[in-house]
Amino acid sequence: MSHPDYPFTPQRIEVRPGIAMSYLDEGPRDGEVIVMLHGNPSWSYYWRHLVLGLRDKYRCIVPDHVGMGLSDKPDDAADASPRYDYTLQSRVDDLAMLLDRLGINGPVTLAVHDWGGMIGFGWALSQAARVRRLVLTNTAAFPLPAAKPMPWQLSFGRDSRVGGALIRAFNLFSAGASWLGVERRMTADVRRAYVAPYDSWRNRISTLRFMQDIPLREGDPAWSLVQEAGRRLPGFADRPAFLGWGLRDFVFDRHFLDGFRAALPQAQVTAFDDAGHYVLEDKHEVLVPAIRKFLDAHPLA
């Protein structure tokens, strides 16, 4: 199946025995590396416009997390083989494995969206010196701010068995996000590309497991990682940072943007009153050249 504006040839790498991750590796081998990390329920397709706008000069590494996009979608049942643990720590380990196998052991720029922030900053807990620039779009790298109530749409998937069953039966989360995540309506073929990987109960496992892994309190599996990432975030204030934000996001709203601005006071901020969660969908015509200009203005040399 061809996806609009996605003229790439994805590659595959085995990140665990019998489990392959799909990823894009676009641009010159010796270009500065931009690692782009998507969230839930999207996949590397979210980054397509930015890859197209950077790959002439920058090396763009864009994985589909296991269970997402074109990557394998293993089960997590006790007797499954191969079996995968759908946790934040697994995502961090997969990213480390991918970069290691590609021989990328020098400086990187992290570009993140949604769960990609928690994955990227989770990885950066042990690799902080390698993270030289940040591009943040509607994401988090710290626990839910005190002033922000948990959106019911996420609680429905995280805490309700009925909600979880409906998400897997009807692809509610991915399909819903393709409508609710944008202010500018997606064309039918773009919306199809977003939801295509999640075409069966089996293939929707990760869209639900990501929701169930949302850390809200001590004891939740992802809590300690996300809490530590938040604690360490101000340590990145000396790196160039670009924040591109859709303010109509019902999850990663102004509360999250304010959290990043407080931790990274020097960051360049471009926020839109008329853009949603998939801010690169709504505003790529503005954001892609702005991010390109930001990267060009802060070379690594």
Side-chain angles (χ1 to χ4, degrees), residues 153-154 156-158 160 162-174 200-201 204 207-208 211:
Q153 296 93 329
L154 297 185
F156 181 65
R158 182 187 186 277
S160 151
V162 172
L166 288 172
I167 283 163
R168 285 195 73 174
F170 298 107
N171 206 18
L172 288 185
F173 194 53
S174 178
S200 68
W201 173 278
R204 291 174 198 140
T207 65
L208 179 59
M211 295 175 87

Side-chain angles (χ1 to χ4, degrees), residues 4-26:
D5 306 318
Y6 193 81
F8 313 118
T9 305
Q11 311 200 44
R12 289 172 74 77
I13 197 164
E14 198 173 63
V15 284
R16 293 157 193 268
I19 299 175
M21 173 184 259
S22 178
Y23 66 96
L24 305 180
D25 185 351
E26 296 282 324

Side-chain angles (χ1 to χ4, degrees), residues 35-40 47 65 88 95 110-123 136-141 210 252:
V35 178
M36 303 181 192
L37 303 173
H38 71 82
N40 182 35
W47 295 107
H65 308 307
L88 177 56
L95 176 60
L110 281 183
V112 298
H113 178 247
D114 190 270
W115 268 96
M118 290 172 268
I119 296 165
F121 282 97
W123 174 80
L136 312 176
T137 69
N138 289 67
T139 188
F210 257 125
F252 299 104

Side-chain angles (χ1 to χ4, degrees), residues 18-230:
I19 299 175
M21 173 184 259
S22 178
Y23 66 96
L24 305 180
D25 185 351
E26 296 282 324
R29 302 301 84 176
D30 59 350
E32 294 176 2
V33 175
I34 319 288
V35 178
M36 303 181 192
L37 303 173
H38 71 82
N40 182 35
S42 61
W43 53 291
S44 57
Y45 190 69
Y46 169 79
W47 295 107
R48 67 195 184 283
H49 296 295
L50 189 58
V51 176
L52 290 171
L54 296 181
R55 68 175 179 172
D56 63 308
K57 175 180 176 183
Y58 295 96
R59 184 177 180 185
C60 303
I61 307 292
V62 198
D64 289 346
H65 308 307
V66 171
M68 309 297 282
L70 307 180
S71 291
D72 287 351
K73 300 175 180 67
D75 200 3
D76 59 357
D79 59 350
S81 180
R83 183 182 176 282
Y84 185 79
D85 252 334
Y86 286 95
T87 62
L88 177 56
Q89 186 62 57
S90 294
R91 311 306 194 172
V92 170
D93 295 344
D94 295 344
L95 176 60
M97 171 71 79
L98 173 67
L99 296 179
D100 188 52
R101 296 278 288 283
L102 293 178
I104 294 171
N105 47 27
V108 301
T109 297
L110 281 183
V112 298
H113 178 247
D114 190 270
W115 268 96
M118 290 172 268
I119 296 165
F121 282 97
W123 174 80
L125 288 177
S126 64
Q127 304 290 333
R130 292 174 56 192
V131 178
R132 300 293 179 81
R133 291 175 299 210
L134 298 168
V135 176
L136 312 176
T137 69
N138 289 67
T139 188
F142 41 78
L144 192 71
K148 166 77 183 165
M150 173 76 166
W152 69 264
Q153 296 93 329
L154 297 185
S155 297
F156 181 65
R158 182 187 186 277
D159 303 314
S160 151
R161 287 182 65 176
V162 172
L166 288 172
I167 283 163
R168 285 195 73 174
F170 298 107
N171 206 18
L172 288 185
F173 194 53
S174 178
S178 70
W179 291 96
L180 301 175
V182 286
E183 290 300 301
R184 181 170 69 180
R185 178 177 287 200
M186 289 182 191
T187 60
D189 54 347
V190 167
R191 196 164 56 250
R192 275 196 297 271
Y194 264 99
V195 304
Y198 313 116
D199 57 357
S200 68
W201 173 278
R202 188 176 171 278
N203 286 344
R204 291 174 198 140
I205 183 169
S206 192
T207 65
L208 179 59
R209 293 296 184 263
F210 257 125
M211 295 175 87
Q212 291 169 335
D213 200 34
I214 294 170
L216 292 182
R217 58 191 67 85
E218 193 81 51
D220 287 344
W223 177 263
S224 57
L225 256 180
V226 174
Q227 190 183 42
E228 182 64 9

Side-chain angles (χ1 to χ4, degrees), residues 211-254:
M211 295 175 87
Q212 291 169 335
D213 200 34
I214 294 170
L216 292 182
R217 58 191 67 85
E218 193 81 51
D220 287 344
W223 177 263
S224 57
L225 256 180
V226 174
Q227 190 183 42
E228 182 64 9
R231 198 178 68 72
R232 298 261 301 274
L233 185 61
F236 291 91
D238 60 339
R239 325 289 150 96
F242 180 99
L243 305 178
W245 225 264
L247 295 172
R248 306 292 292 273
D249 188 334
F250 72 83
V251 181
F252 299 104
D253 57 12
R254 206 178 283 275

